[in-house]
Structure formats: C-alpha cells, structure tokens
C-alpha cells in the first residue's frame, strides 16, 4: 500500500460571501483568532503524516504562498521578545513541508480544481482539504481518522460525512449506502446526489470538505461531463467509482465549522475564543 504523503488544497475561489474583505485578502487567509484557515488545514494534513502541500490557486492568492515563506523583517523585529514564539507553528510547517502551486485558470467546479492539481499529485493517492471546513477533534484529527480507514481499504476513495438537518441537504452532496461490517460509522456508498431537495435526498448524510482519493479519480474526472452550470463535480466522479464499490463514506469523530459562511465563521471564532479562555 502506498502511504499518503500529499494533500491538495483547492484554494482558487473568490470567496464572494465575504466581500468586501476578500476583494484583497484570500478567504483562506481569514483568521480564526490569530491563525488563518489555510494554516489550520495544513496542520491537520501534517497530523496525518503528509508533507507535500499542493495548492490549486489563482493569480490573486499570492498571500497564501507568502504566508508559508520566511519573513526576515518580522522575525528580526520580534526576536528576543515575548512574541518570538508566535511564528513557531507556521515556520515549522514551512520547514517540514514542501509547498507546490498550480494556477487554476477557470473556476469550473471542485472536480475541475482537483483535476487541475494532477501535475502536483502524479500517480499517488492523496488527501483533499477544503479550508472552508474547519474541523476539530479531541483525539485524532479528522484526516488522520480517514487515513487509518484508508489503510484498511486502499483501493477505495474515502469521503467524510456528517448528519445535517434535512432542510439543509440542498447545500451538500448527500450519500446513500450500507454500513461496513463491524463498523457503525463507515458506509459503502451506493449512490450520491449533489445538492438534492429535501424530498429527493436519500439520507441526511452530507459530504464535507475532507477526501482521500485514489489516482484513479483523475481518469474518471477527465471523462466526467459538466453539470447544467458547466462545472465538473467531484460528486459525479465519485458516483462513477461508487458503482464499482470503491467509495466509502466515513462519519468522523469531531466537530466541523462551515467557515465558508459568515455565520459558521463567527461560530468558529467564538468556539475557539472560549476554548482559549478569551471570552
């Protein structure tokens, strides 16, 4: 079995729900307390043993690349002060990981963004983190939980799921499946529906922004037709693999904050502030 060492981050989107802030600041650089969302994602990938961070980005996202580079002037200004340790985490990530970048020329869906990252991934299994989804856990990180499941099913893609209210299923890809033998939190996926109405949703088990994908996904994406909006959906590609029994949905242990919405972003900020004793 090939160990997963690469994590792909689709970060080319405009972040229009956070305008005007995201006119000049990438949404992935918006901070929960003092740490930007993209750094939380990178640290989660590192916790699962990954050291290659592949960013599918755009010409407007230079700040992400700069964040993971040394800043000699700032480091010199805080050296020997009480603030000297504030850059330790991001500098550790920069030292331990290889950051690679490729530009997505058009925004044509998550499936298109993942396919754009193929030159950075090659023919290896890989993880995908959507930084909008900020995940926390008291034990293993969500991605580490998923890699452990992948080690038992190395021919399968793994998607993270959580239960959502039926009134909100139209915001997600939704799965239907059967529990794997001996497990109560993993399903062999039979079908997937992208943003169904509550009446058409097979379950309330919604896919969130954590994936482990086999390199077979690139061949499938290459042959996946755009949807009615002209976008390539990863859900459609995974549906193709699910017909071969090659997709497992994992109900993770932990909590997810939807930081792609203003409400979720505020909820995450408040939760983290409380955990740090700030409020």
């Amino acid at each position: 079995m090939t160990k997963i060492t690469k994590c792909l981050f689709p970060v080319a989107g405009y972040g229009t729900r956070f305008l005007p802030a995201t006119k000049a600041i990438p949404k992935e650089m918006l901070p929960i307390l003092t740490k930007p969302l993209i750094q939380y994602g990178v640290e989660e990938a590192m916790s699962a043993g990954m050291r290659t961070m592949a960013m599918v980005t755009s010409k407007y996202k230079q700040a992400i690349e700069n964040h993971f580079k040394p800043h000699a002037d700032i480091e010199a200004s805080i050296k020997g002060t009480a603030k000297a340790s504030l850059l330790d985490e991001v500098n550790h990530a920069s030292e331990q990981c290889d950051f690679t970048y490729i530009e997505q020329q058009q925004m044509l869906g998550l499936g298109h963004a993942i396919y754009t990252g193929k030159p950075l991934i090659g023919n290896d299994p890989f993880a995908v983190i959507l930084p909008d989804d900020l995940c926390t856990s008291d034990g293993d990180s969500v991605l580490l939980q998923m890699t452990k499941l992948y080690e038992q099913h190395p021919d399968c893609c793994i998607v993270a799921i959580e239960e959502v209210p039926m009134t909100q299923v139209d915001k997600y890809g939704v799965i239907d499946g059967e529990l794997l033998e001996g497990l109560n939190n993993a399903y062999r996926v039979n079908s997937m529906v992208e943003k169904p109405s509550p009446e058409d949703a097979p379950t309330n088990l919604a896919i969130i922004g954590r994936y482990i994908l086999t390199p077979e996904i690139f061949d499938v994406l290459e042959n996946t037709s755009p949807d009615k909006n002209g976008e390539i959906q990863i859900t459609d590609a995974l549906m193709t693999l699910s017909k071969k029994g090659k997709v497992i949905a994992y109900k993770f242990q932990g909590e997810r904050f939807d930081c792609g919405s203003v409400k979720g972003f505020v909820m995450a900020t408040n939760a983290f502030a409380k955990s740090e004793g700030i409020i």
Side-chain angles (χ1 to χ4, degrees), residues 8-12 53-59 61 65 99-105 112-121:
L8 186 142
F9 295 81
V11 294
M53 309 298 165
M55 305 283 176
V56 179
T57 186
S58 80
K59 61 183 179 181
K61 301 294 185 85
E65 187 169 352
F99 289 83
T100 59
Y101 300 85
I102 193 168
E103 190 171 310
Q104 186 181 12
Q105 299 294 331
H112 179 266
I114 291 173
Y115 186 77
T116 299
K118 182 180 179 181
L120 304 180
I121 299 298

Side-chain angles (χ1 to χ4, degrees), residues 23 28 30 33 59 63 86 98 104 116-117 122 135 152 157 181-182 194 229 231 254 261 271 276:
K23 184 173 182 287
E28 297 83 10
L30 296 176
L33 304 186
K59 61 183 179 181
L86 296 179
D98 293 323
Q104 186 181 12
T116 299
C135 295
Q152 302 172 44
C157 295
E181 185 175 352
E194 180 69 18
N229 297 317
E231 296 185 341
S261 70
E276 294 292 329

